[in-house]
Amino acid sequence: MNSDLLINIFRFVSLLLLQVVLFNNIELFGFVTPYPYILFILLYPLDWNRAGLITASFLLGLILDTFNNSGGVHAAACVTLAYFREPFLKFSFGISYEYHMMKITDKISNELITYLAISTIFHQIILYSLEIFSFNFILEILLRTLLSSILTLTFIIILIFLIKPTKK
């Protein structure tokens, strides 16, 4: 088996377990939960099949929906994020985003922060819009999106530092 495949399977399982066991139990201010499991979608290799990314994203969201009893909102948000990942990469890194993604965890750059922030906010706004599903609560959707995105970004950056290879 390919080592990249094993790494991605391990990333899928470990991020899913961390989300279910640890991060789902964090509720800041009683309603803000971090969702760093989207790091799997964000770090999925560019040279792999896009249909595989969308399928894996759906599976990731569906499993999380099963544990959270959330009716498919995570699956929808994950699939949408996976679909729009390439335009977010082009916006953040420019036309040569393939070159920059090869070493995404080597250093934290402005382009990486932009990519992570746009993707996280996009995921959160879709997630909370589908979860609340009412324009009467637009301020609550925006507040949850903002606070949850900040918390999620913090945990994503911490996780990137933890998986970052050490330089010798």
Side-chain angles (χ1 to χ4, degrees):
M1 226 190 243
N2 190 348
S3 66
D4 288 338
L5 180 63
L6 290 175
I7 289 170
N8 277 296
I9 290 171
F10 176 74
R11 185 181 296 150
F12 181 93
V13 171
S14 61
L15 285 170
L16 185 63
L17 285 174
L18 277 172
Q19 184 65 47
V20 169
V21 173
L22 179 66
F23 294 117
N24 280 351
N25 295 319
I26 297 174
E27 283 195 358
L28 190 63
F29 307 121
F31 64 92
V32 178
T33 303
Y35 295 110
Y37 73 92
I38 64 171
L39 192 57
F40 172 78
I41 299 167
L42 301 178
L43 295 181
Y44 190 85
L46 286 174
D47 54 346
W48 287 16
N49 190 352
R50 186 174 182 195
L53 169 64
I54 292 174
T55 304
S57 300
F58 176 72
L59 186 61
L60 180 68
L62 189 64
I63 293 169
L64 197 57
D65 282 326
T66 303
F67 281 105
N68 290 345
N69 195 22
S70 53
V73 295
H74 288 280
C78 285
V79 168
T80 308
L81 176 61
Y83 184 80
F84 285 103
R85 183 179 83 135
E86 191 171 329
F88 294 155
L89 284 166
K90 284 181 183 175
F91 177 79
S92 301
F93 292 102
I95 300 298
S96 63
Y97 66 93
E98 292 97 351
Y99 171 75
H100 295 289
M101 278 298 289
M102 297 303 172
K103 303 292 182 189
I104 192 167
T105 59
D106 281 356
K107 65 179 179 133
I108 301 293
S109 64
N110 290 337
E111 293 88 1
L112 177 62
I113 297 295
T114 303
Y115 169 60
L116 294 174
I118 290 171
S119 301
T120 302
I121 292 169
F122 182 76
H123 176 267
Q124 302 299 331
I125 198 130
I126 290 178
L127 180 75
Y128 287 121
S129 296
L130 291 174
E131 184 178 302
I132 296 172
F133 205 68
S134 174
F135 284 116
N136 295 333
F137 298 106
I138 191 74
L139 292 176
E140 183 177 347
I141 292 170
L142 294 175
L143 179 65
R144 282 185 177 203
T145 298
L146 177 68
L147 295 175
S148 183
S149 295
I150 291 169
L151 193 60
T152 300
L153 263 173
T154 303
F155 281 113
I156 283 176
I157 291 172
I158 290 169
L159 286 171
I160 286 177
F161 271 118
L162 291 175
I163 64 172
K164 186 168 127 175
T166 57
K167 299 206 177 195
K168 294 181 182 181

